[in-house]
Amino acid sequence: MPTVLGLEGSANKVGAGVVRDGAVLSNRRATYVTPPGHGFAPGPTGRHHRAVVLGLVRAALSEAGVEPRDLDGVAFTKGPGMGSPLAVVAAVARTLAQLWGRPLLAVNHCLGHIEMGRALGPAPDPLVLYVSGGNTQVIAYARRRYRILGETLDVAVGNCIDRLARLLQIPNAPSPGYNVEQLAKRGRRLVPLPYVVKGLDVSFSGLLSHLQAVTPKLLESGEATPEDLCFSLQETAFAMLAEVTERALALTRARHLLLVGGVACNHRLQEMLQSMCRARGAELCPVDDRYCIDNGAMIAQAGCEMLRVGQVTELSQSGITQRYRTDEVEVTWRD
């Protein structure tokens, strides 16, 4: 397989990584962090990425021990994601590809997660649970597409967790999801929350709006602590995910469950899915934390697969798209 530089920048993390023959040679990343109680807006996030991305590229090439002439392609995240951060990374990728005379490879962000998971783990054809700040999908491969069997009908599970972190003024460093997970370990009371599953789909908006409505009263009265609320959110949301994933395992008869995306780092989610998989005789395959979080190496890995079969991107077709569904991509590199 070829050597590819991958650039990721669909949200608040920007990364550059180099992959060769399925091996990660380097994986550099920087995160735009906002104060407690605040999210990240497209404009400031894009400006952050613009300030650091070239330094990340230099560091990634240096760590990998490669020069531009050693690269066979430049891959970047085409979408989905936030417009300004995507545009910054795409502009850098186009410039480098033309400057170095290398093919350009526009990668679907979701497929980057999946292909990195397949490359690192023992599951060549798994059922996929993709959980992040912007996406929540249950996915299976069939007939040259990653088919979405189920998904969130509104907000993603990671966004739901982040919104609770903002509500509770939990710090955003190293990430709000990680800090919510740590607080949840000390929770003792399970607060009843809306639980919405529709077939293979889930809905988190009711859960979130309920939390926004009752949290001030619960905290003021002492009926619940911030730890209790974090615990309750995780237990409820993750139970919903485990239910629809178990249903999908029964439907597909898959023997492996690949867990990808930023929320896949959560150990409580892994525990719940592990218990469910054992009961079904399936194997849980969580991706290493370094590659669960958005990173350039996963984009490079997907780019390697595309380049291997000649699926390159013309400059005129290299525009970004904020809405780019997983099942829009023809997966020409798989049988």
Side-chain angles (χ1 to χ4, degrees):
M1 288 181 68
T3 303
V4 172
L5 169 69
L7 302 178
E8 154 61 23
S10 59
N12 69 324
K13 295 172 179 63
V14 57
V18 178
V19 169
R20 173 187 291 154
D21 297 331
V24 178
L25 303 185
S26 63
N27 193 30
R28 294 302 187 101
R29 178 172 52 226
T31 303
Y32 175 59
V33 179
T34 55
H38 295 268
F40 49 93
T45 306
R47 289 191 288 274
H48 166 268
H49 291 5
R50 186 174 61 196
V52 302
V53 64
L54 292 180
L56 292 172
V57 170
R58 283 192 291 268
L61 294 178
S62 175
E63 182 181 336
V66 302
E67 299 289 338
R69 64 175 176 270
D70 302 318
L71 297 173
D72 297 296
V74 177
F76 72 98
T77 302
K78 179 181 177 70
M82 301 172 70
S84 181
L86 283 172
V88 168
V89 170
V92 171
R94 290 189 206 101
T95 302
L96 295 180
Q98 292 178 86
L99 183 65
W100 297 337
R102 295 294 183 265
L104 192 62
L105 304 149
V107 174
N108 178 289
H109 177 84
C110 313
L111 267 64
H113 279 292
I114 295 171
E115 293 305 333
M116 179 56 84
R118 289 180 62 239
L120 295 174
D125 187 27
L127 180 74
V128 179
L129 177 60
Y130 172 35
V131 281
S132 70
N135 299 276
T136 301
Q137 298 175 345
V138 182
I139 303 163
Y141 176 79
R143 300 189 305 277
R144 288 200 164 191
R145 302 272 173 172
Y146 283 112
R147 311 285 174 172
I148 301 173
L149 305 181
E151 61 187 322
T152 178
L153 299 175
D154 34 63
V155 298
V157 63
N159 183 258
C160 187
I161 294 171
D162 292 350
R163 295 277 289 276
L164 177 64
R166 282 183 236 167
L167 189 64
L168 297 176
Q169 296 287 309
I170 295 172
N172 288 321
S175 75
Y178 174 81
N179 294 330
V180 166
E181 180 184 2
Q182 303 317 304
L183 288 174
K185 293 176 182 177
R186 302 197 295 271
R188 293 296 177 265
R189 182 192 168 202
L190 182 64
V191 178
L193 297 173
Y195 183 103
V196 183
V197 168
K198 301 181 179 182
L200 289 172
D201 295 326
V202 293
S203 171
F204 297 112
S205 61
L207 187 160
L208 179 59
S209 60
H210 181 77
L211 274 172
Q212 291 172 327
V214 304
T215 291
K217 178 183 175 183
L218 290 174
L219 294 178
E220 185 177 349
S221 66
E223 294 179 63
T225 64
E227 290 83 354
D228 293 333
L229 294 171
C230 293
F231 169 72
S232 301
L233 172 60
Q234 283 197 168
E235 293 300 302
T236 304
F238 294 168
M240 292 161 59
L241 293 172
E243 178 180 336
V244 297
T245 305
E246 182 174 19
R247 195 166 289 143
L249 279 173
L251 174 68
T252 61
R253 300 182 182 179
R255 308 314 304 165
H256 296 90
L257 173 62
L258 179 62
L259 181 60
V260 301
V263 182
C265 296
N266 189 292
H267 289 177
R268 179 54 183 153
L269 176 60
Q270 292 181 18
E271 287 175 2
M272 294 173 75
L273 293 174
Q274 184 70 266
S275 177
M276 180 272 290
C277 284
R278 283 183 184 142
R280 294 208 60 86
E283 180 182 354
L284 177 66
C285 305
V287 173
D288 186 307
D289 285 4
R290 292 170 296 173
Y291 307 111
C292 284
I293 302 166
D294 292 349
N295 62 92
M298 71 181 197
I299 302 303
Q301 175 60 29
C304 282
E305 296 286 2
M306 294 170 64
L307 189 58
R308 182 170 57 85
V309 295
Q311 190 174 334
V312 301
T313 305
E314 297 297 329
L315 193 62
S316 61
Q317 301 298 314
S318 64
I320 62 163
T321 173
Q322 293 178 258
R323 297 180 182 273
Y324 192 18
R325 287 179 60 82
T326 309
D327 52 10
E328 288 182 40
V329 181
E330 184 179 7
V331 184
T332 55
W333 55 91
R334 288 193 60 178
D335 295 332

